[in-house]
Structure formats: C-alpha cells, structure tokens
Amino acid sequence: MKTQVCIIGGGPSGLLLSQLLHLKGIDTVLLEKYSREYVLGRIRAGVLEHGFAKLMREAQCGERMDREGEIHEGIYIAHDKGMDRIDLHKHSGGSSVIVYGQTELTRDLYEARARMNGKVIHNVEDVTLHDLTSAAPYVTYREGDQIIRIDCDYVVGADGFHGVSRKSIPKDVLREYERVYPFGWLGVLSRTKPVSPELIYARHERGFALCSLRSQVLSRYYIQVPLEDSVEDWSDEAFWEELKRRLPDDVAARLITGPSIEKSIAPLRSFVAEPMRYGRLFLAGDAAHIVPPTGARGLNSAASDIYYLYHAVVDHYHKKDDSGLDGYSEKALARVWKAQRFSWWMTMLLHRFPAHIPYDQKLQDTELAYLLSSERAQQSLAENYIGLPF
Ligand code: RFL
Ligand code: PHB
C-alpha cells in the first residue's frame, strides 16, 4: 500500500487530521489498534474550546456539534464557604466553551471518514515504524499472519499516551518531562438530569469533585480518589454519598442519582515529550503530551497540534513550503506548555494533596481567596479555560 501521510491512531487527533487533509486532496491511511465500537466506548473529554469547534466545522464535521452542543459562559467553584461563579464570557471578552462529548465528536469524525471513503483500518496489530530519518519511511502492521507494508512520505503519531509512535524515537533524542499526581479521578456517567446547568469544580477537605454533563439528560461526575483505589471498591451508592459530601448542602440536596452507565478511574499525570518531530515522524495529541483533566485542556491541546500540522502538511504539498513542518515542534510545544501550566495550576488549586504540610494548605487557601476576590485573576483563568489563541 502507498499513501502520502500514514496516521497511527484513530482517536480525535488522527481522525481530524485525516479528514482535514482529505478535504485538501491529500491522501492518508489511518491505522487504529481497536474497533470503532471500542474507541467510542471510552468516556473522556466534555469541554471544547472554540478553536477546536472551528476546526471541526472546517472538517465538515461541525453540524451535530453546533446543534446538540451546549454553549457555556461560566463555571462554578465550590468551596468551604459556598459557591462562586467565574464569568468566562465577561472575563474573556465575550468567548465561551462548548460542552459536547469526545464520544460524539469522535463518532462524527468516523462517520465523515466513512462517507468520504477514507482509509481507516481497525484492529491492526504490531504497528511498527521504519526508516523515519530517510526520505522513504514506511509502516508495517500485522493482519492475521500477514505483514502489511505502507509506504508513505510522512508518518503522524496520533496514537495516544500508550502508543508506539513516541517509543519509536531513540531515547537519546527524546526528552520527557513528567509529574505524576498522588491520586486519580473516579468518573461516573449516569442517565440523570445534571445537578447544575454549568460545571461545578468543588474543592473540599475530603478531596476534589466535579459536576459535569453531556446533555440535559446525561450527567458526568468525578471525585478525587487515592491511587490505590479500584472501580470495584466503589459501589454506585458509595460514589453518590461521597460526591454529596464534597458539594455545598443545597447542591447535594438537589443532586439526582441513578445507576452508573460507565464508571472508571483515570490517574492524573502531566507529561511532555520533546521534540514532537523525529525525521519524517510527527507526534500529535496525547502521544506527545498529557495533562490532568482539571483544566479541560487535553483534547484542546491536541486540536492546536492538528491545526499546526494540517497547515504545515498542506503547505508542503500545495506550496512546496516546508517551513511549517520544520517549525512544527517548536510552535506546538509553545502552546502545549501553556496548557500544561494552566492544568497544573488548576490541579494544585483544587485537590487535596496527602503530603501537604500546613503551610502548603494555607497557601492553597490563599490562592483560592485571591482568585475569588480578584477580577484580574479571574480574567487569567477565563483566558486559559476558553483556550489561548493558535
Ligand atoms: P487518544 O484519544 O488516546 O487516541 C489515540 C488512539 O490511538 C490508538 N492506538 C493505536 N493505534 C494503532 N496502533 C497502536 N499501536 C496504537 N496505540 C494506541 C488508541 O486505541 C486510540 O484510539 O488520543 P488523541 O486522539 O490524541 O486524543 C486526546 C484525547 O483523547 C485526550 O486528550 C482527552 O480525552 C483528555 N481529556 C479532556 N480533554 C479536554 O480537552 N477536555 C476535557 O474535558 C477532558 N476531560 C480527558 C477528560 C481525559 C480523561 N481521561 C480518561 C484520560 C476526562 C478524562 C477522565
Ligand atoms: C468532563 O465532562 O468529562 C470534564 C469536564 C471538565 C473537565 C474535565 C472533564 O475539566
């Protein structure tokens, strides 16, 4: 098989790039390790910034998002003295975010790829990248006992944190920066009316909690849990009880509970791999960087990578201009690090850290008091939460 760009990974990053390039007449083959149903079964992000939404529209995949997604102009921060609203719209000069689940967005991208006869190959095994620093790289994978080879001009590694692409870069070339947090998020999806029309980020002495949603009939809630906990340790009843304890009394009183339709634990991690290019391999999205979900930046950081990479590849084929490809890693990383900073800051502000000494706790109290009393601090939060320009 031969293609111009071989994309590894059928998550939102890989699918969006493949769709955008297709619309510019550039051929791609996309390899995904799992089935489409499996990928769509993963419940992940819920908050999209406008830059992402714009790219989805450019990819001709924005119609359902615009119809069913909810525009949110504020978030709540709950704490021991009550609940404050941060007006994202006012403090960002009129912007907002869209609440539309990653599952739905990924479904829209898969459907668009199918409509346009995109080459998306599922259930591939043993994906291996070859000759990345030569002018003729290629990728192989296994289908039963057959090895299939794909010759290409470029390889894009959009295969998430556990993928093979980043691991194909020699250790002496790649520098990794990492912080692992001493807790995870236990998430529950339930077919219940959300407790609040806007997201509530709750800081509590028992640990962080988040009230989010997918629609007016589908709620998504999270609580901070110790790393050692497993999903089996948490019955639905225990989850709802603990969530209520961490919310202001009036919010807890109106929380509607129900059976969980999905329950999972995600460890929290900050991670960046540099550079994001090795020869003819370009990394994008979670393959190159991870943030803790507190600032809702993960998927949105993937979007800016795809934006830069898409334009760079188009300039290469349409204008014979390689400056975008050559500058990709530096440009992408500059924005990635800003999302890292913001996600780390939100995480440090709102969680309980087992190792905190009383001094750290006082500083965290003061950081929150400052945020809630300062218009400028709220502007900074809003600017980052709605997404820095790219
Ligand atoms: P993905 O989604 O992990 O997709 C990578 C795909 O590559 C496949 N793959 C392979 N394919 C072929 N060969 C191999 N060897 C392969 N190895 C892996 C995988 O099967 C998969 O399909 O990465 P991508 O596309 O870069 O997308 C990134 C986002 O998924 C991620 O950043 C967000 O979900 C993070 N995130 C959030 N981001 C936001 O912007 N806003 C949010 O509100 C938000 N909430 C969240 C989140 C992530 C969470 N978890 C579970 C980590 C909430 C949670 C709980
Ligand atoms: C979600 O709805 O899954 C969600 C929303 C906001 C976050 C993280 C996750 O910060």
Side-chain angles (χ1 to χ4, degrees), residues 8-15 31-34 38-39 42-48 102 110 124 126-127 158-165 185 187 199 201 212 214 220 222 264-267 284-287 289-291 293 295-302 385:
I8 323 288
S13 301
L15 288 165
L31 301 177
E32 165 57 48
K33 186 174 182 177
Y34 297 104
Y38 180 89
V39 174
R42 293 190 292 227
I43 307 297
R44 289 187 169 178
V47 176
L48 307 181
Q102 178 169 334
Y110 269 127
V124 295
D126 299 342
V127 169
D159 48 353
F161 183 67
H162 299 288
V164 291
S165 300
W185 279 18
L199 273 66
Y201 289 84
S212 182
R214 292 290 176 274
R220 180 70 167 159
Y222 297 97
S264 52
I265 294 185
D286 278 18
H289 42 79
I290 297 278
V291 284
R297 295 296 83 209
L299 181 56
N300 292 306
S301 288
Y385 194 91

Side-chain angles (χ1 to χ4, degrees), residues 3 8 47 99 113-114 118 127 159 167 209 211-212 216 246 272 289 315 327 330 332 337 358 386:
T3 188
I8 323 288
V47 176
V99 170
R113 291 288 49 224
V127 169
D159 48 353
K167 293 175 193 138
C211 304
S212 182
Q216 281 314 306
R246 299 182 189 188
V272 182
H289 42 79
D315 286 351
E330 199 184 331
W337 275 108
I386 60 109

Side-chain angles (χ1 to χ4, degrees), residues 212-228:
S212 182
L213 62 147
R214 292 290 176 274
S215 72
Q216 281 314 306
V217 291
L218 202 54
S219 298
R220 180 70 167 159
Y221 296 105
Y222 297 97
I223 56 171
Q224 173 187 348
V225 293
L227 267 184
E228 308 75 53

